[in-house]
Every structure is written in C-alpha cells, then in structure tokens.
Amino acid sequence: MKNIRALIIAALSWICFAAPAQATLHIDITKGNAEPLPIALPDLAGSGVGMEIMQVVSADLERSGLFRPIAKQAFIEQIDAQTVTPRFSDWRQINAAALITGVAETNGGKLHVAFRLWDVYGEEQMVGKEYNTFENNWRRIAHIMADEIYKRLTGESGYFDSRIVYVAESGPDIKRVKRLAIMDQDGENHKFLTDGRFLVLTPRFSPNSQEILYMSYAGRQPRVYLRDLQTGREESLGVFEGMSFAPRFSHDGGSIVMSIAEGGSTQIYKMDLKSRHLIRLTSGSGTIDTSPSYSPDGAQIVFNSDRGGSQQLYVMNADGGNIHRISFGDGRYGTPVWSPRADLIAFTKMSGGRFYIGVMRPDGSGERLLTESYLDEGPSWSPNGRVIIFHREFPTSHGKAGPTRLYTVDITGSNLREVITPMDASDPAWSPLLPL
C-alpha cells in the first residue's frame, strides 16, 4: 500500500495540450456487442519503458472488449520522438480509427510520459496528456493512460486504475486455507494481506480505497474487522452475542452496515466509525436480513431477506424505514450491490439448480441475467458501473465443489473474461478509481 500511496503524491502531474473542440470519433457503448474500435498503439518513443507502458495500455483496452489493438507488424509509419503530426493516410491504410503517439523518458529514477490520442479519419488530436512521476510507477501510468483513452472514446470514465481484493483459497476441502489478497485490476502487483491462520470472507473497499472491511474467524466467533491498507493495522469492530458479518461502507466512508446474528434472527445494523455507535435498522423474529449495500447517494440500502418466506431482495431508506421488496422472479436472490452509477443493482440468483449473475433497476424492473453456471456468486462493480466481477465455482466429475475462479462480464452480458489469479479465488471486491 505504501508504494501505491507514494505513487502519485510524489510527482504526478498532467497537462492538457491544445486539441480541437470538435472531434467526432466515438464508440457507442449503449448497444450490446459493440464492434471493437481498431486502434494503433505504437511504443512510446524514448526509453525502453515506453514499450512496457504500451503493452499494458493495449491489454487494458483489449480486455474491455471495446477496442481492437492493431498488430505492430502492420504499421507503415514508424513513430519516433520527432513525430509531431502523424501521416494519417498511412494509418487509414491499415484501418486504424484511432492512434496514440508519445514519448517516455527516464532520468535518475524519474519518469516523464507524454502522449496524444488522434482521430485518424478526422485528422485531429483528441487528447493530449503529460505525466511526471517515479520510474517504478510506470505500470500505474499505463492504467491512467488507458483510462484517458477509454473516457475520450466512450464518453464514460475508465476503470483500469483500480484494484481488486479477494479471498485466495488453497488446500483440501476439509482444511481450506483462505487469505485476503489484493492486486491491480489486471491481476498484476499481487500480494497477500493475511497469513491464512484464520478464515476470512467478504472483503469490501472503502470509498477512498485505503481501507477494507471483512469478516474474520480470528476471535472466538466470526466478526467484522477494519484494515488500513497503508499501515496494515486492523481492528475488530465490536464483539457481540452472535457473529457479525456481511459488512459494507457507507457512501462517504463515515459509517458501515453489517449483519449481526442474535437471538435466533439476523438483523442489519449501522455503525458510526468514529463513535462506534450502533443502530439497528431491521427487525423481525426468526428472519435473516443480510448483505446490505448503500445506494451511491447514501439515501437507500438494498439487502436480501427471507422475511417473505424465501430469500429475496428488499430496499429500505438509510434509516431503516420504507422496507419494500423488489425481486419477484422465480427462484431466490442474494448478495445485492448497488451500481456506482445508481442505475442498476447487481445480484446472485439461484433457480432450477443453477446460479446466475444478474442486474435489475432499483425498483425491481428490467431484470436481466448476465451469466449462468454451476455456481456464479458475489458480484462487485467496476468503478464506472460498466463491468461486474464475480466468482465462479466449477463442479468436479464427482459432482463435488471444484476450482473457483474470478470472472468479469459487461453489463450487456457480453465479454466474459477470466481474471487470472495464482490460486483459487472467491469473494472479489472492486475498488473505486485510486486517488491521484
């Protein structure tokens, strides 16, 4: 975490170059299965790190499913440090719609990067950016560049400069080891946060990406912990009669919601993180209310409950009032999470012996199922609300639980991709964009 924090604070700056006010190149992402935009991504001129930067940029953009990087062997013009304006006819000849040019220079451990995004057919510059930081931050600069390109060509914020925390699993079923792990959204810079002595579940990021909540069996009973990613300091958020679990931060990070099991029922509570004052939000004898998630404005909470006889989704005001059911399809619903754009709620659905990841509007309308498998569970949103990450469990030939892997899927239901991890993985959570 210390390396991440030092990343931009030390020396990152960005300067906009002059660019035409009217640029027409644009990807329409409102339609499912949009045709990927062909884009030329030559290595940045200057030092060797320019090639590494563009490899990461290319991988980010290609993985989104919205871009098709053109093979370098097809390039006619060779971009170098002296290139001011590219020969657009050369790039049109290989069907490039967009082009990146730029430089990457290193000096005494410092890194200077400047790049331009060009509309090849419009023959005009769309974006110009410049960055200064430490040389070992080159990978994050690449993610930031990819975000800029994505934003300019789609009209939406990017999601590449972000991280994923998840539960790394190893060992036999009867003695499963579960550790917290964190990595960049592309699987790089992977590291473990806990040593595996105690089982951990459901990690969740704070709005500033600097802290996580999770449930741990470190004490005599499972309870919620708070961990500072920079210092590694962690603390229990209360000891109760029963277990506490399924935590999530409020929209401003000042409080959390979680479930506490006591007296034969499970209810949702809100805790102020400064005062540790606890307020019960739900009630009911013998009911299980869990998996709460705030709306982006903090005004409402979605959760799942069996209060109606089967596990369904409900929405309530942030103070616990106006509880109403929003899921009415076949089967059971769980693990709801509100999109950062506020327009959708993602969920896990269980029906007919199959598991699905789906989305619906906050009023319950417009339900769409995006994935289906033996076991898909635990959705979490990308920072821009465009992509969902979840974990998938595969059955063995004997019908028992098998490997678990992380996958992403676009909200259109297209572009299903595995996120590579060094071992089995579950319970993913996607961070907001990292602070600069």
Side-chain angles (χ1 to χ4, degrees):
M1 184 60 204
K2 181 179 287 186
N3 289 339
I4 293 292
R5 186 172 179 79
L7 180 74
I8 300 300
I9 292 178
L12 175 61
S13 65
W14 60 97
I15 304 170
C16 291
F17 298 108
Q22 301 295 325
T24 58
L25 184 59
H26 179 75
I27 302 175
D28 184 0
I29 58 176
T30 62
K31 302 176 181 178
N33 298 311
E35 185 68 25
L37 182 82
I39 185 170
L41 301 168
D43 296 339
L44 298 179
S47 69
V49 75
M51 178 180 67
E52 295 177 297
I53 288 173
M54 293 311 294
Q55 287 175 343
V56 173
V57 171
S58 178
D60 279 349
L61 296 177
E62 189 279 330
R63 197 165 49 251
S64 75
L66 299 174
F67 298 86
R68 179 176 61 82
I70 296 173
K72 294 179 182 178
Q73 295 88 335
F75 295 173
I76 300 171
E77 182 184 16
Q78 299 304 308
I79 301 295
D80 57 31
Q82 282 68 50
T83 302
V84 177
T85 302
R87 297 195 303 268
F88 294 109
S89 59
D90 286 353
W91 299 101
R92 285 195 294 270
Q93 190 169 333
I94 62 171
N95 297 317
L99 166 69
I100 296 295
T101 64
V103 297
E105 299 168 330
T106 58
N107 184 14
K110 300 293 181 64
L111 172 65
H112 169 78
V113 174
F115 83 94
R116 289 178 168 88
L117 168 64
W118 302 91
D119 178 347
V120 172
Y121 287 88
E123 297 194 1
E124 54 189 10
Q125 179 184 313
M126 301 179 72
V127 168
K129 296 285 183 176
E130 184 174 352
Y131 309 93
N132 294 285
T133 184
F134 294 118
E135 185 175 355
N136 61 357
N137 295 332
W138 67 268
R139 179 172 287 277
R140 188 172 174 193
I141 291 298
H143 292 317
I144 293 171
M145 285 176 59
D147 279 336
E148 289 289 347
I149 296 165
Y150 182 101
K151 181 177 181 180
R152 186 61 187 85
L153 291 174
T154 69
E156 292 187 353
S157 297
Y159 57 89
F160 305 116
D161 185 30
S162 60
R163 294 188 293 174
I164 291 165
V165 64
Y166 73 98
V167 175
E169 303 187 20
S170 60
D173 291 344
I174 59 174
K175 198 174 181 180
R176 199 70 165 159
V177 176
K178 295 191 176 187
R179 292 182 284 177
L180 290 182
I182 194 169
M183 60 187 178
D184 295 347
Q185 56 79 29
D186 60 354
E188 297 294 331
N189 290 323
H190 185 280
K191 68 175 182 178
F192 295 106
L193 300 176
T194 58
D195 58 16
R197 287 181 299 161
F198 306 107
L199 185 145
V200 292
L201 296 170
T202 61
R204 302 290 181 257
F205 275 102
S206 65
N208 65 6
S209 304
Q210 304 304 304
E211 296 173 307
I212 57 170
L213 293 166
Y214 62 98
M215 189 192 80
S216 173
Y217 282 71
R220 293 186 176 181
Q221 66 183 23
R223 57 180 182 262
V224 171
Y225 282 77
L226 175 69
R227 182 183 183 93
D228 186 305
L229 291 175
Q230 182 183 1
T231 66
R233 180 177 178 269
E234 59 182 16
E235 56 181 317
S236 168
L237 294 181
V239 178
F240 309 100
E241 178 184 330
M243 64 187 290
S244 59
F245 60 102
R248 200 174 291 270
F249 284 95
S250 63
H251 68 298
D252 60 4
S255 61
I256 69 166
V257 282
M258 60 182 169
S259 291
I260 300 177
E262 292 180 327
S265 64
T266 299
Q267 307 300 334
I268 295 173
Y269 289 77
K270 174 184 176 181
M271 175 183 283
D272 182 277
L273 287 177
K274 287 186 177 180
S275 67
R276 301 300 165 89
H277 179 62
L278 198 66
I279 300 174
R280 190 174 70 180
L281 299 180
T282 65
S283 61
S285 176
T287 61
I288 299 176
D289 298 337
T290 189
S291 300
S293 173
Y294 276 99
S295 61
D297 63 3
Q300 294 178 293
I301 296 171
V302 63
F303 64 101
N304 60 254
S305 173
D306 64 355
R307 61 181 54 217
S310 66
Q311 185 175 315
Q312 300 293 330
L313 303 186
Y314 292 80
V315 169
M316 63 181 172
N317 294 342
D319 62 2
N322 189 30
I323 296 177
H324 56 283
R325 180 174 164 178
I326 63 169
S327 62
F328 294 94
D330 295 334
R332 295 176 292 128
Y333 296 76
T335 62
V337 57
W338 222 300
S339 164
R341 299 196 295 199
D343 58 339
L344 295 171
I345 290 170
F347 56 85
T348 301
K349 183 172 183 174
M350 299 140 276
S351 179
R354 304 288 286 176
F355 281 71
Y356 307 81
I357 299 298
V359 293
M360 65 173 66
R361 299 188 187 97
D363 63 1
S365 65
E367 178 179 326
R368 292 185 291 113
L369 300 180
L370 309 179
T371 74
E372 175 189 357
S373 83
Y374 168 78
L375 201 164
D376 286 351
E377 195 171 19
S380 179
W381 291 95
S382 65
N384 66 350
R386 178 74 191 183
V387 182
I388 294 172
I389 190 170
F390 62 97
H391 73 261
R392 170 170 287 182
E393 185 175 299
F394 294 86
T396 65
S397 58
H398 305 291
K400 296 183 179 180
T404 56
R405 299 288 187 265
L406 302 185
Y407 281 82
T408 60
V409 66
D410 189 272
I411 58 172
T412 63
S414 63
N415 197 38
L416 181 69
R417 304 268 182 139
E418 182 180 355
V419 180
I420 303 300
T421 55
M423 58 184 61
D424 282 359
S426 62
D427 277 345
W430 210 320
S431 79
L433 287 176
L434 299 177
L436 296 178

